[in-house]
């Protein structure tokens, strides 16, 4: 991957964690060569020793999965080139996710809302479909460490779960941490223009192995904004991405796994660079909380919703939003915290907010469900997690019914469709379908 070396873990104790993990994985591989899963034999693949670099790449893959919005910038640019910005802003408002997105859900209720008098925390994290799954469950015990939960293949520690005193879950923050820049670059020499002067891009060469054929060498020019990432209409576009910035990848999860209270929890998260996440918290002392995390670029002059001008220097990042200014909630009066990829930033947030946040409907449904009862049992949370009610689709169905009633259409098939929608309860599952 181009530019990986800039993402090297900067803190020695984090490197030590990754190095110890690599030694363990490599030892297991070396002692289980004759017991590897059948997929290795089918593919004729002999796994290489694990390394710190391997774990860094695993972390970067999660970063890519959860923060890749460059394509949306390119698409928006293409639409603007053919139409009116005002109309586009109406149809595709910045800051709202377009298309179908499964999203993640996390919530916590205070002890005042549970039958046990203790907080309840639930998490429903989603990633791209894959086989095998990137998630696996683990229980880790060591001196000063007793933690259970879910983690990602290739990474040490527990990423979301609980120890004996605290529990936490996550959803993707969805803040925009990638920008495309249009560059005036000579592909032959790597010379490009920035603020009226010529700068020299750095050439990086990668070699891609091809089974049964000669390796393929690829050269990439790296500008001050990042690698030349794409080309369209005779223009080159570089990609600036928080993950590729110095210190853009940090791994404080063992500190998180050992945290005993809200203060230690938020202190560990201050070191977390990304991908930005919403962390939902609960502890045995009865507290619940929420903390937004990650390095979030400060954009003063540009929104970042379309490729920026890389020549003028007018759209450079002005550092990152300070951790102390990120949204945080501790023991809200309502006794409910709900996170579902919605925009977590207040309207009066002092920095420009840019992202592909999910519509508010899932978060509103979670909050409505949790507010509907005075007391909840842990077991009842399964019902909330399995809830697939779609308020927006239910609303559209009701509008169709109302229109059908006004029209009084005598076509039998249309009348039947209206009656089917009239019976629908808005649940997007087989039970809901049975009510249609």
């Amino acid at each position: 991957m181009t530019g990986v070396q800039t993402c090297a873990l900067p803190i020695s104790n984090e490197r030590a964690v990754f190095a110890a993990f690599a030694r363990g994985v490599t030892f297991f591989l070396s002692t289980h060569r004759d017991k590897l899963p059948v997929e290795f034999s089918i593919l004729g693949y002999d796994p290489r020793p694990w390394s710190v670099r391997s774990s860094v790449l695993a972390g970067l893959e999660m970063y890519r999965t959860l923060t890749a919005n460059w394509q949306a910038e390119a698409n928006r640019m293409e639409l603007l080139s053919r139409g009116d910005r005002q109309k586009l802003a109406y149809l595709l408002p910045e800051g709202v996710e377009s298309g179908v997105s499964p999203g993640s859900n996390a919530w916590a209720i205070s002890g005042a809302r549970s039958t046990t008098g203790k907080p309840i925390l639930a998490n429903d994290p989603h990633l791209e479909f894959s086989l095998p799954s990137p998630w696996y469950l683990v229980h880790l015990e060591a001196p000063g460490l007793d933690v259970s939960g879910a983690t990602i293949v290739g990474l040490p520690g527990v990423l979301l779960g609980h120890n004996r005193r605290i529990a936490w879950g996550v959803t993707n923050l969805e803040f925009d941490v990638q920008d495309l820049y249009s560059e005036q670059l000579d592909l032959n020499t790597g010379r490009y223009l920035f603020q009226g002067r010529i700068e020299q891009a750095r050439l990086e060469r990668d070699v891609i192995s091809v089974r049964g054929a000669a390796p393929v060498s690829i050269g990439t020019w790296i500008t001050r904004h990042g690698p030349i990432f794409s080309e369209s209409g005779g223009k080159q576009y570089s990609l600036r991405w928080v993950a590729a910035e110095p210190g853009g990848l940090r791994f404080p999860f063992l500190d998180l796994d050992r945290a005993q209270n809200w203060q230690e929890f938020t202190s560990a998260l201050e070191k977390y660079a990304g991908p930005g996440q919403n962390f939902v918290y609960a502890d045995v002392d009865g507290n619940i909380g929420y903390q937004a995390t990650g390095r979030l670029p400060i954009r003063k002059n540009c929104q970042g919703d379309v490729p920026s001008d890389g020549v003028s220097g007018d759209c450079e990042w002005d550092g990152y939003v300070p951790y102390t200014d990120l949204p945080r909630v501790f023991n809200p009066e309502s006794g409910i915290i709900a996170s579902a990829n919605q925009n977590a930033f207040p309207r009066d947030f002092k920095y420009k907010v840019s992202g592909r946040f999910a519509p508010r409907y899932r978060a509103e449904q979670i909050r409505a469900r949790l507010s509907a009862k005075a007391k909840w049992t842990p077991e009842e949370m399964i019902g909330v997690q399995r809830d697939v009610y779609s308020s927006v689709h239910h609303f559209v169905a009701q509008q169709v019914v109302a229109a059908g009633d006004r029209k009084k259409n005598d076509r039998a098939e249309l009348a039947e469709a209206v009656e089917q929608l009239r019976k629908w309860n808005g649940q997007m599952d087989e039970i809901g379908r049975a009510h249609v």
Side-chain angles (χ1 to χ4, degrees):
M1 177 178 292
T2 301
V4 165
Q5 70 274 14
T6 64
C7 305
L9 297 169
I11 306 301
S12 59
N13 63 336
E14 293 178 9
R15 283 181 173 274
V17 168
F18 274 50
F21 180 75
R23 289 193 299 271
V25 174
T26 299
F27 174 80
F28 180 89
L29 288 173
S30 65
T31 55
H32 290 73
R33 289 290 178 184
D34 58 341
K35 298 178 182 179
L36 295 177
V38 67
E39 289 85 353
F40 287 88
S41 298
I42 293 174
L43 296 174
Y45 176 67
D46 185 29
R48 294 173 293 182
W50 199 257
S51 66
V52 171
R53 177 187 174 90
S54 304
S55 289
V56 170
L57 288 172
L60 286 173
E61 171 59 14
M62 287 300 101
Y63 228 132
R64 181 207 64 80
T65 298
L66 296 172
T67 64
N69 70 306
W70 65 269
Q71 186 65 62
E73 289 187 27
N75 292 342
R76 200 175 185 90
M77 176 184 66
E78 179 67 17
L79 290 171
L80 280 174
S81 69
R82 303 185 183 189
D84 180 271
R85 175 177 277 272
Q86 188 174 0
K87 292 179 180 178
L88 179 63
Y90 176 79
L91 293 172
L92 296 173
E94 169 63 16
V96 177
E97 178 69 72
S98 60
V100 178
S101 175
S104 298
N105 309 299
W107 61 87
I109 59 172
S110 69
R113 288 187 166 272
S114 76
T115 57
T116 65
K118 293 290 186 181
I120 301 175
L121 183 144
N123 192 195
D124 176 25
H126 294 181
L127 290 174
E128 292 177 344
F129 292 111
S130 65
L131 188 67
S133 169
W135 292 110
Y136 69 99
L137 301 179
V138 64
H139 179 195
L140 300 177
E141 289 184 284
L145 181 68
D146 187 356
V147 60
S148 299
T151 190
I152 297 293
V153 173
L155 297 174
V158 169
L159 304 190
L160 53 98
H162 67 91
N163 58 32
R164 290 186 176 273
R165 293 202 53 83
I166 73 168
W168 66 96
V170 300
T171 69
N172 201 29
L173 184 62
E174 304 288 356
F175 198 96
D176 181 6
V177 296
Q178 289 184 334
D179 278 344
L180 289 174
Y181 288 86
S182 61
E183 308 283 5
Q184 290 185 18
L185 180 139
D186 186 331
L187 291 175
N188 295 315
T189 65
R191 291 161 65 85
Y192 67 102
L193 190 63
F194 179 74
Q195 291 186 330
R197 64 180 184 270
I198 298 295
E199 296 195 353
Q200 179 62 53
R202 183 179 78 256
L203 182 62
E204 286 193 357
R205 293 197 177 277
D206 294 296
V207 177
I208 301 175
S209 300
V210 179
R211 187 170 184 176
V216 176
S217 178
I218 296 178
T220 304
W221 290 112
I222 312 297
T223 71
R224 63 167 41 241
H225 300 120
I228 296 299
F229 191 71
S230 66
E231 185 173 357
S232 177
K235 291 185 178 181
Q236 291 80 41
Y237 294 90
S238 61
L239 175 67
R240 188 172 187 183
W241 183 26
V242 167
E245 301 284 308
L249 184 65
R250 296 288 306 276
F251 196 80
F253 282 97
L254 284 187
D255 290 338
L256 202 67
D257 293 348
R258 296 188 180 102
Q260 299 293 294
N261 52 49
W262 173 249
Q263 289 72 28
E264 293 180 7
F265 177 78
T266 54
S267 178
L269 288 179
E270 185 172 6
K271 296 174 284 188
Y272 178 72
Q277 299 290 296
N278 302 290
F279 279 79
V280 178
Y281 168 96
D283 65 34
V284 297
D285 295 321
N287 302 301
I288 61 173
Y290 162 85
Q291 176 70 60
T293 63
R295 281 190 173 189
L296 311 182
I298 296 175
R299 299 175 174 90
K300 286 190 174 181
N301 301 320
C302 299
Q303 187 68 23
D305 57 335
V306 295
S308 302
D309 179 14
V311 178
S312 67
D314 294 336
C315 294
E316 303 303 294
W317 295 352
D318 191 23
Y320 301 99
V321 177
Y323 179 69
T324 52
D325 288 338
L326 294 178
R328 175 185 294 190
V329 176
F330 187 62
N331 289 334
E333 185 177 350
S334 65
I336 298 174
I337 293 173
S339 176
N341 310 119
Q342 79 274 22
N343 189 341
F345 298 87
R347 291 186 180 274
D348 59 350
F349 194 58
K350 66 175 71 174
Y351 304 97
K352 190 173 293 186
V353 175
S354 179
R356 301 182 65 204
F357 308 105
R360 67 185 186 278
Y361 306 113
R362 277 189 292 121
E364 289 179 348
Q365 175 65 0
I366 293 170
R367 188 170 290 277
R369 285 290 303 268
L370 297 177
S371 301
K373 286 184 59 174
K375 303 281 185 178
W376 289 86
T377 67
E379 293 75 18
E380 288 173 323
M381 289 296 152
I382 297 175
V384 182
Q385 286 188 320
R386 295 181 61 185
D387 181 16
V388 288
Y389 174 75
S390 173
S391 59
V392 64
H393 288 95
H394 200 194
F395 170 78
V396 171
Q398 291 169 333
Q399 294 301 301
V400 171
V401 170
D405 289 344
R406 290 193 301 270
K407 185 70 174 177
K408 298 297 182 183
N409 198 299
D410 57 1
R411 292 176 59 184
E413 63 271 24
L414 290 179
E416 182 182 358
V418 167
E419 290 307 309
Q420 292 285 333
L421 291 175
R422 193 191 307 277
K423 300 173 187 176
W424 185 46
N425 62 6
Q427 292 288 338
M428 306 285 285
D429 62 1
E430 291 295 329
I431 296 176
R433 188 179 301 173
H435 286 80
V436 173

